[in-house]
Every structure is written in structure tokens, then in C-alpha cells.
């Protein structure tokens, strides 16, 4: 493990730890409106100032980080499982199943995902609590984000199907699900892990994209997307630099993920 | 823009353009005049100076010419359109950008002065309305030419009206003139006189002509031939529109100088407000016609001389509940939404002062009803914004069987009061208002879920599927006269948002509104019309089908390079007097 990767891991752990400690570090909460001091600069009471409607920005950054860092891996898990199911099985079965799965994956990849997300979101029931909305948002991200991973997994499973050890297992009389779960799936694990980790920053960015458009997590819950939306009217970096904290945090976290993943990929290769 | 009587209640301020001329032309003019009358100057010139008198006279003439040139102004005004103009055909205008271009290029018979809100003669020297309100006779200005040199006559007015009222054209401008069944006819009384005859009376008929840009009946250039101060010289799709001075524009200033002063107007198509602000700050743009409150304050903090708050505009944001009988919402919720006490209680629980102060940084006023206080004549001054009073709200709710239980409001059947408010994701102010109301209503035990949707999805829900519970939106009012609101208040109307297209009014108060709106539309006596519409405002206040939140202020920014700007609340706020705007000498030189 090189120094950069170590540092990245430390940063990620630190960010996770601080966000999980939000209840203690920011006791005012993310939703409380200090209406007398909207858009205020940093102070002892509000370390990063307040947002446009007087909510403590520090608290919102911590809770937003928690939401993004907890739910993006959850969405990544959903998408990786789906990818394993579709891609892994298609690759293992081969033949017409592989061709159908590949065509379906290509079709899914060709869809403009952002518009798809917006369309699916618009169809959801309106009267859901903010917590449910955040779960739904990330679940949708997970459901719609499986295609790229599925393509990689189907190719790997296809190559495994013709490998010597699988042929030997088949010759020994092992068939069906047992062959898949005992011999094929364990050998797909490194790829599944890699796809899982690769998906996390993708889902963080996807939620941020939706949030910037105002279509992410429902108010008053914060997320990095809704926090980044605050930067909309910022004309100069020197003007209220404390508002850039969510952006800096997003860059730091994504870069850390990238550093950790690049090492993972080397190991996988 | 209607409501001639309404306009008259405003105190006419001294015309801005008078000041432009005084500050632009007169500086050099008065200096020259003073010099020429100075006996010392004359004596020196005639006796002691070695320079011949003829040469001095020549210098004097040159100075006068220079002064005249200065008075003419010149230069290029630059600002942004937020969207691509959908059309250059003045009769098909239906969007803000096209509206701005029509205002700058179109010649109209009658113009509502955006500052005084009074009608003024333009291409018509005078006009006369018949007593029955069905006919209007215009006496046209003589010797006026279109921008391509084609003479203007009664033929052009007849052609424009014929085209405007063509049902195949689907002109929204023409819709305002449709009354009763039968065709609109024109009767030419001479080359400079024409009568337009309508099948049924139209209220404030003359004011409607403010929106009708006259087109040439004979010019091969069609809509390219204009009678306004500017003409469209170049259009780059997605990029810009260049307007140049109409060389044949008929209007002259008080000193006989032909208007407009500007050589051209460069309109960049720029939907991004951040970019617009950045370019304005760099001096690349001369004005921002409509400014958000955030940008207004930022600019005001560094350059207070550039920003203008013209006061409450005609626009309002409001909340309403879905009362459609066939809407896919639980029956007990529909019962809440149909309860006057419930709606009034929600209205009382909302802190409008906070909405104005926090969401619009103080650049908005708590709203009362469908008419902004800026609309002096039609506003019912007996009404005041609903006071923020959570206790009174709870009392009202108790009258309907609601009760608080562990901090949660429950109805008489024990259902917890919870509903969602939808609004468009592209509007940060509306989203912020929803979040503030979420907390306000939480204080009386109501749980609110805020949902932001993309605008097409939102429109589909509120106008087709009726699959929503409450919504926040706003109407942009460009019309001072309440007749323009018929499509909202009639129970059969499509924009009767809380329960549209009713076959017959479902409530007694909606039936009364229908009756009053029809009465004001058919009456010719402004006092009677006002009485009817005052009562409509009172019913809307009492029943709260729309819970009015705030009237935003008309905010704009104008560079110091522009002389003569006098922003107002009516569209087009900053360039309503474009023909009399000038750029200062430094700006002209730098361009």
C-alpha cells in the first residue's frame, strides 16, 4: 500500500467518522431554522455560517455527508447485485442468454440516464417522508446503475465458463446452480468488489447531479447535491469562501476513492 | 395592458426622457447659447480678435452640429434575453423574449406609458370609443413610413386586424379581442381614419391596442417592415439578436431630434443568470431587466448605484390545495382541502413577513390577493395581508373537529394531518418558501412534505392528472385589468387551478365569483366594474382557494453608462423608454 493510498484511506475514514458524529458535533440539527440570521457568515454558533433560510451549514454538511456516504454504498450494493445477477448469469449460461443480456445491457447504457432518473422520480408517490425520499432516490440510482457493471461481469463469467477448472468440474458431474455458486461466483468476487467500489463515487456524483437540479433528496434533509446547489449564485471564489466547503469535501472524497480504487485495480489486474 | 382608470390614480412623475434631453443635449447646447449671447465674447470676437468673423461663425455652426450629434446619442445598448425568441411575427408573440423584441420594434396605435400607466397616442393621433363599446375609431398620424419606406395608412391597420383575428393564426394577442360570435370588421373612413367594429362590447378596448404592432399591408418584407424605434437587423439562432435604429421612425424629441438616440441594441441570448451577472459586472452588458433578490443584494453591496427596486410588482406566488372531485387523493384529505376553515387556518399559520424577508431578502411584500397593491385602481385597499397567528389557526381548525394530539394535528376521524406541497425544481425561491412553510405548519401539528419536480412533470400533475395535494406556483400578471384574469376565476376555466373546468359551479362562492366576473366584464362603468371586482377579491380572501404569499418587487440593474433609465414595475421594466435612452460618451467611445 503506497503512501497516497494510505492517506486516501485515512481521509475517507476521517470523513466517515466525523459525519457519523454529527449528532454530537452539530447539536442544532440540519433542519432548525435560525430565521433571524439567514445567510450569515461563520461565527462561534455557526461554524460555517447559515444557509439562505438560516439553517446551520456545518450541521447540514455533516448530515449531508453522512447521507451521501452511507447511501451511495447501499446503492452501489444494489447495482452490483443486479449486475451479478444479470451479467454473471448471462455470461455463465452463454449462447442466446448472453446475446440477449448483452443487447439489453447495451440498450440500457444508451439511455440518457439523467433524463431517465428524472422521469422515474416524477412517477413516484408525492407523499413520502424526507427519509423515505432519500432511500427511494438512492434505490433508484442503484436500480438504474447496474448496466456498466453487468457488461464487465458477463464478459468475465463468459471467460470463466470455458476455463479448465469449470470444464473439469462439469466433467466431474457438477452442473447448474451448484457449479455457478461454488466455482464461478467465487472467481467473480474480485471483479464484484472492484465494481462495487467503482460505483460508489459514481452514485455520489449522480445524487449530486440530481440535487443540483433540485431533484435529489427532499427538503429539509441535506445531501451533497442540495448543498452544492447553494453555490448557484456564487460569482467569485473569494466571495463567501465558506460556502465552498461541500464542493471541497466532494472533491476530496472522490479523489480519495479514486486513489484507493486505482490501487485496487492494480491488484485486480 | 388595460385599465385606463387604474392608471390615472398614479401620480404622474416628471417624464424621465425630459431629464435625458436636459442632461444630454442641453449641456452643450446651453453652453453654446450662453457663449453666443455673451457681450464680452461677441465684442472680443468682433473687434479684438485677429480671427475673421466668418471663421468664428463656422466654428459656432460646427459646435452646434456637434451638440446636435451629442443629443442624438448613438452607440449600442447591450443586454440579455433569457430565452430564444420563438417568433418575430408580432401577432404571434407568446414568450418573454419575443415580447421584448415586439416592444422595441413594433409600432402601436396606442401605448400605455409604463411609468404613468396612462394611455398615450402613438400611431393614432386620437381615438374615439363608441358608447356601446363595440367600435373604436382611430385618426392616424399622417406621413409615417415603415422602416423600408412603405407609407403607413388605414390599409395597414385593416390588414393587421384582419390577420390578428384570423382563427387559423391562433394569435394569443388576438384572443383578447374575441368577444361574442361574428367577425371583426374594419371600415376605412379615409386614408388616415379607420373604424374597427367588434361583434360584442369589449371592456377597455383602447388599451388592448397597446399589444398590437401594426404590420404593413403592402411591404414585401412583411414583419421585417416595422413602425417601432428599432428593426431586427440580424438574428443568430441561439446566440444574439441585433436591432438597429429604424431610419424612418416617426417620433421626434421636444427639440425636433429624430428618435431613437441609440444606434443599435445588441441582445444576447443567455439563460444563465450567473453569466449574465458576471458580464454585467465586467461592463459587457448595460442592464439586467429582471434581477433575482440574491443577485440584487450582492450587486447592491458593491455598487448600490446600479440596482433599482421599483417596489411591489404585479407578480405573486401562491399556494393552493387540490379540490378536484376526481383527483386520486384520499377522500378525507379532499374534505380537508375543501374546508374553508382548513385553508384559512393554513393561511394564518404562514409567516408571510418571514417569506418576504428571508426568501426575497426583503424585496417582496406580503400578498393580499389576486391584485397587487401596485395596481392602484383595482387593488381592494380594504383588505390586508393575513396576519401570522398560529393560535387563531388552531381555533379555526378546532371548529372543524381537528385536534392536537402529541404535537400532531388530527382530524375528527383521527387521521394525522399530512400533505405534500409540489413546486418546480427550477425555482429556488418557491422551494425555500415551501421549506419555511413546512416549519410554520409544523408548529400547528401539520406535517408537510416538500417535493420539487421538473416543470413538465409538475404541469402534468396539476393540470391533467390532478395527482397532487398542494402546489406553489405563481402567475405573471402583465395586465392591470381584471378581465385578463377571467381564465382563472371562472369556474369553467382551465386555469381555475384548485378545481378547473367545472360544468357548473360546485360551491356558492364560486357561483358568485362567476357572476361578478361576468358582470365586471360586461359593464362599461369603471365604478361598477371596480365594485364587482372588489367583491371578488373579498371572496377570494375569505375562501382562500389561492393562499397568496408574496408580491415580489420589480428588481433590475442598470449600468451608469446608460442615461435616462427609469425602471418601473411593468414590462419591460428597464427599457420601456428605449427610444430615449442614451449611452454616455465614454461608453460610446469604447464601443
Amino acid at each position: 500500500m503506497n503512501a497516497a493510498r494510505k492517506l486516501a484511506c485515512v481521509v475517507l475514514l476521517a470523513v466517515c467518522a466525523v459525519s457519523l458524529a454529527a449528532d454530537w458535533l452539530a447539536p442544532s440539527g440540519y433542519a432548525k431554522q435560525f430565521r433571524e440570521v439567514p445567510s450569515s457568515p461563520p461565527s462561534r454558533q455557526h461554524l460555517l455560517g447559515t444557509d439562505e433560510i438560516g439553517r446551520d451549514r456545518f450541521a447540514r454538511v455533516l448530515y449531508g455527508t453522512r447521507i451521501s456516504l452511507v447511501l451511495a454504498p447501499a446503492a452501489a450494493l444494489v447495482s452490483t447485485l443486479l449486475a451479478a445477477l444479470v451479467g454473471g448469469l448471462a455470461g455463465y449460461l452463454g449462447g442466446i442468454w448472453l446475446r440477449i443480456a448483452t443487447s439489453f445491457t447495451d440498450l440500457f447504457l444508451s439511455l440518457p440516464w439523467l433524463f431517465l432518473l428524472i422521469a422515474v422520480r416524477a412517477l413516484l408517490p408525492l407523499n413520502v417522508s424526507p427519509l423515505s425520499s432519500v432511500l427511494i432516490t438512492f434505490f433508484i440510482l442503484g436500480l438504474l446503475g447496474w448496466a456498466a457493471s453487468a457488461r464487465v461481469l458477463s464478459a468475465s463469467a463468459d471467460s470463466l465458463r470455458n476455463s479448465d477448472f469449470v470444464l473439469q468440474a462439469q466433467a466431474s458431474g457438477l452442473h447448474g446452480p451448484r457449479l455457478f455458486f461454488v466455482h464461478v461466483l467465487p472467481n467473480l468476487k474480485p471483479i464484484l468488489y472492484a465494481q462495487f467500489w467503482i460505483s460508489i463515487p459514481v452514485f455520489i456524483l449522480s445524487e449530486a447531479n440530481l440535487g443540483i437540479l433540485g431533484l435529489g433528496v427532499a427538503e429539509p434533509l441535506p445531501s451533497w447535491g442540495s448543498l452544492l446547489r447553494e453555490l448557484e449564485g456564487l460569482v467569485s471564489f473569494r466571495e463567501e469562501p465558506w460556502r465552498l466547503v461541500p464542493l471541497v469535501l466532494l472533491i476530496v472524497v472522490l479523489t480519495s476513492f479514486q486513489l484507493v480504487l486505482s490501487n485496487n485495480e492494480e491488484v485486480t489486474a | 395592458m388595460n385599465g385606463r382608470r387604474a392608471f390615472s390614480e398614479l401620480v404622474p412623475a416628471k417624464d424621465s426622457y425630459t431629464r435625458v434631453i436636459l442632461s444630454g443635449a442641453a449641456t452643450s447646447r446651453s453652453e453654446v447659447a450662453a457663449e453666443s449671447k455673451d457681450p464680452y465674447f461677441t465684442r472680443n470676437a468682433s473687434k479684438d480678435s485677429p480671427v475673421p468673423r466668418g471663421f468664428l461663425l463656422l466654428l459656432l455652426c460646427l459646435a452646434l452640429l456637434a451638440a446636435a450629434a451629442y443629443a442624438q446619442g448613438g452607440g449600442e445598448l447591450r443586454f440579455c434575453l433569457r430565452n430564444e425568441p420563438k417568433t418575430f411575427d408580432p401577432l404571434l408573440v407568446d414568450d418573454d423574449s419575443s415580447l421584448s423584441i415586439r416592444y422595441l420594434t413594433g409600432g402601436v396605435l396606442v401605448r400605455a406609458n409604463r411609468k404613468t400607466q396612462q394611455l398615450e397616442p402613438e400611431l393614432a393621433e386620437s381615438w374615439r370609443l363608441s358608447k356601446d363599446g363595440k367600435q373604436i375609431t382611430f385618426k392616424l398620424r399622417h406621413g409615417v413610413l415603415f422602416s423600408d419606406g412603405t407609407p403607413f395608412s388605414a390599409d395597414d391597420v385593416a390588414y393587421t386586424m384582419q390577420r390578428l383575428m384570423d382563427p387559423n393564426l391562433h394569435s394569443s394577442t388576438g384572443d383578447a379581442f374575441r368577444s361574442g360570435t361574428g367577425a371583426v370588421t374594419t371600415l376605412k373612413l379615409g386614408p388616415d381614419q379607420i373604424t374597427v367594429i367588434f361583434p360584442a362590447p369589449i371592456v377597455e378596448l383602447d388599451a388592448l391596442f397597446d399589444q398590437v404592432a401594426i404590420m404593413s399591408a403592402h411591404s414585401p418584407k412583411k414583419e421585417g417592415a416595422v413602425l417601432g424605434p428599432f428593426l431586427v437587423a440580424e438574428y443568430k439562432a441561439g446566440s444574439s439578436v441585433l436591432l438597429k435604429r429604424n431610419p424612418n421612425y416617426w417620433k421626434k424629441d421636444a427639440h425636433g431630434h429624430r428618435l431613437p438616440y441609440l444606434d443599435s441594441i445588441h441582445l444576447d441570448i443567455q439563460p444563465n443568470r450567473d453569466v449574465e451577472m458576471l458580464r454585467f459586472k465586467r461592463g459587457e452588458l448595460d442592464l439586467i431587466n429582471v434581477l433575482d433578490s440574491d443577485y440584487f443584494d450582492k450587486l447592491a453591496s458593491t455598487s448600490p448605484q446600479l440596482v433599482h427596486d421599483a417596489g411591489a410588482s404585479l407578480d405573486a406566488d401562491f399556494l393552493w390545495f387540490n379540490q378536484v372531485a376526481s383527483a386520486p387523493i384520499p377522500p378525507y384529505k379532499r374534505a380537508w382541502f375543501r374546508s374553508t376553515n382548513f385553508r384559512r387556518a393554513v393561511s394564518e399559520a404562514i409567516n408571510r413577513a418571514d417569506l418576504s424577508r428571508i426568501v426575497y431578502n426583503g424585496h417582496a411584500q406580503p400578498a393580499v390577493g389576486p391584485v397587487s397593491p401596485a395596481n392602484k385602481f383595482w387593488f381592494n385597499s380594504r383588505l390586508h395581508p393575513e396576519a401570522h397567528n398560529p393560535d387563531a389557526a388552531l381555533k379555526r381548525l378546532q371548529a372543524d373537529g381537528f385536534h392536537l394530539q402529541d404535537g400532531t394535528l388530527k382530524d375528527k376521524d383521527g387521521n394525522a394531518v399530512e400533505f405534500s406541497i409540489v413546486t418546480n425544481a427550477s425555482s429556488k425561491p418557491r422551494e425555500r418558501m415551501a421549506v419555511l412553510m413546512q416549519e410554520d405548519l409544523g408548529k400547528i401539528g401539520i406535517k408537510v412534505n416538500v417535493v420539487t419536480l421538473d416543470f413538465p412533470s409538475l404541469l402534468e400533475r396539476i393540470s391533467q392528472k390532478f395527482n397532487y395535494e398542494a402546489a406553489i406556483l405563481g402567475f405573471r400578471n402583465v395586465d392591470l385589468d381584471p378581465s385578463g384574469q377571467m381564465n382563472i376565476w371562472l369556474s369553467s376555466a382551465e386555469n381555475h387551478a384548485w378545481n378547473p373546468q367545472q360544468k357548473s359551479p360546485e360551491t356558492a362562492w364560486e357561483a358568485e365569483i362567476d357572476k361578478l366576473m361576468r358582470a365586471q366584464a360586461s359593464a362599461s362603468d369603471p365604478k361598477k366594474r371596480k365594485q364587482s371586482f372588489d367583491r371578488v377579491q373579498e371572496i377570494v380572501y375569505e375562501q382562500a382557494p389561492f393562499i397568496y404569499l408574496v408580491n415580489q418587487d420589480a428588481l433590475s440593474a442598470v449600468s451608469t453608462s446608460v442615461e435616462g433609465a427609469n425602471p418601473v414595475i411593468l414590462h419591460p421594466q428597464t427599457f420601456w423608454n428605449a427610444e430615449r435612452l442614451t449611452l454616455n460618451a465614454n461608453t460610446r467611445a469604447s464601443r
Side-chain angles (χ1 to χ4, degrees), chain A residues 33 35 52-53 55 118 121-122 124 126-130 213-215 218-220 229 232-233 235 239, chain B residues 274 278 298 333 354 357-358 422 425 428 431-432 435-436 439-440 449 451-452 454 457 461 467 469:
Chain A
Q33 296 169 4
R35 293 192 180 186
E52 294 102 332
I53 53 175
R55 295 175 296 192
I118 292 171
R121 194 186 175 281
L124 293 175
L126 300 179
N127 225 339
V128 290
S129 67
L213 293 172
L215 298 167
E219 288 278 6
R229 199 175 178 217
E232 223 172 51
V235 176
E239 181 191 339
Chain B
D274 292 339
L278 211 58
K298 276 176 197 159
K333 285 196 178 184
D354 275 1
R357 183 176 58 83
I358 295 171
V422 290
K428 270 170 85 176
E431 188 181 341
R432 285 184 212 159
V435 178
L436 290 173
E439 187 167 282
D440 286 341
N449 299 309
V451 183
T452 50
D454 59 295
S457 304
R461 277 183 185 267
N467 186 6
E469 292 175 348

Side-chain angles (χ1 to χ4, degrees), chain B residues 489-563:
Chain B
W489 299 115
L490 290 184
S491 58
S492 57
E494 276 186 27
N495 288 335
H496 194 71
W498 67 91
N499 191 4
Q501 293 174 308
Q502 298 170 35
K503 284 177 184 162
S504 60
E506 291 184 14
T507 60
W509 57 269
E510 281 173 298
E512 192 182 351
I513 288 181
D514 280 6
K515 197 174 138 193
L516 289 163
M517 285 304 291
R518 289 200 176 97
Q520 70 80 26
S522 57
S524 54
D525 180 3
K527 277 185 186 170
K528 282 184 182 168
R529 294 188 65 212
K530 169 89 170 111
Q531 275 173 3
S532 298
F533 198 63
D534 275 357
R535 179 67 193 132
V536 171
Q537 291 175 69
E538 282 162 12
I539 295 170
V540 171
Y541 187 88
E542 288 157 9
Q543 298 294 333
F546 283 145
I547 297 171
Y548 285 88
L549 304 171
V550 292
N551 292 117
Q552 307 144 37
D553 285 4
L555 307 177
S556 56
V558 182
S559 162
T560 48
S561 64
V562 181
E563 293 176 351

Side-chain angles (χ1 to χ4, degrees), chain B residues 41-290:
Chain B
F41 175 80
T42 314
R43 190 171 57 248
N44 277 353
S46 60
K47 291 181 181 173
D48 304 331
S49 171
V51 184
R53 179 180 285 186
F55 183 69
L56 284 172
L57 279 172
L58 183 67
L59 276 179
L60 190 64
C61 290
L62 285 172
L64 277 169
L65 282 172
Y70 185 70
Q72 286 287 339
E76 183 173 85
L77 184 76
R78 295 174 182 171
F79 61 96
C80 285
L81 298 174
R82 293 267 162 87
N83 297 295
E84 189 91 20
K86 285 183 185 165
T87 179
F88 290 106
D89 186 332
L91 305 185
L92 289 177
V93 166
D94 208 10
D95 60 291
D96 279 353
S97 298
S98 305
L99 195 68
S100 295
I101 291 171
R102 184 180 72 184
Y103 186 86
L104 292 165
T105 59
V108 293
L109 296 170
V110 177
R111 177 65 86 203
N113 183 311
R114 265 47 175 182
K115 186 169 177 60
T116 63
Q117 302 186 356
Q118 288 183 322
L119 290 181
E120 292 175 352
E122 284 273 306
L123 294 169
E125 280 180 344
S126 61
W127 63 94
R128 194 177 64 250
L129 280 163
S130 66
K131 281 184 181 171
D132 62 3
K134 289 183 185 176
Q135 294 184 21
I136 184 165
T137 302
F138 294 104
K139 184 176 186 307
L140 305 179
R141 210 169 283 279
H142 186 67
V144 175
L145 298 176
F146 279 88
S147 55
D148 66 341
T150 317
F152 163 66
S153 71
D155 286 345
D156 303 310
V157 178
Y159 168 74
T160 304
M161 287 310 297
Q162 182 198 352
R163 193 162 173 267
L164 182 73
M165 302 313 295
D166 180 354
N168 295 324
L169 192 70
H170 302 294
S171 165
S172 58
T173 310
D175 288 343
F177 290 93
R178 292 187 212 289
S179 64
T181 50
V184 176
T185 54
T186 51
L187 183 64
K188 278 179 273 180
L189 306 172
D192 296 337
Q193 206 163 355
I194 186 166
T195 299
V196 187
I197 304 157
F198 296 88
I202 299 177
V203 290
E204 302 292 328
L205 176 59
D206 45 359
L208 292 180
F209 282 88
D210 172 81
Q211 305 289 322
V212 183
I214 301 300
M215 297 180 70
S216 172
H218 306 295
S219 171
K221 287 192 169 181
K222 301 199 174 197
E223 64 256 32
V226 295
L227 290 163
F230 299 93
L231 57 94
V232 178
E234 187 182 73
Y235 169 49
K236 291 180 183 167
S239 171
S240 63
V241 181
L242 178 66
L243 307 180
K244 286 199 168 168
R245 173 195 285 144
N246 174 0
N248 296 324
Y249 189 51
W250 60 274
K251 210 184 273 186
K252 292 177 179 173
D253 68 13
H255 300 278
H257 300 129
R258 192 178 283 272
L259 297 173
Y261 294 135
L262 293 165
D263 289 327
S264 57
I265 298 179
H266 192 274
L267 303 166
D268 277 329
I269 298 163
Q270 179 53 263
N272 188 314
R273 295 179 186 200
D274 292 339
V275 175
E276 186 182 22
M277 173 59 89
L278 211 58
R279 293 190 61 201
F280 178 77
K281 280 185 165 179
R282 281 191 205 141
E284 294 170 14
L285 299 175
D286 297 310
L287 56 90
I288 300 176
N289 200 37
V290 179

Side-chain angles (χ1 to χ4, degrees), chain B residues 5 31 228 303 331 350 530:
Chain B
R5 297 270 172 179
E31 280 168 6
S303 316
I350 294 169
K530 169 89 170 111

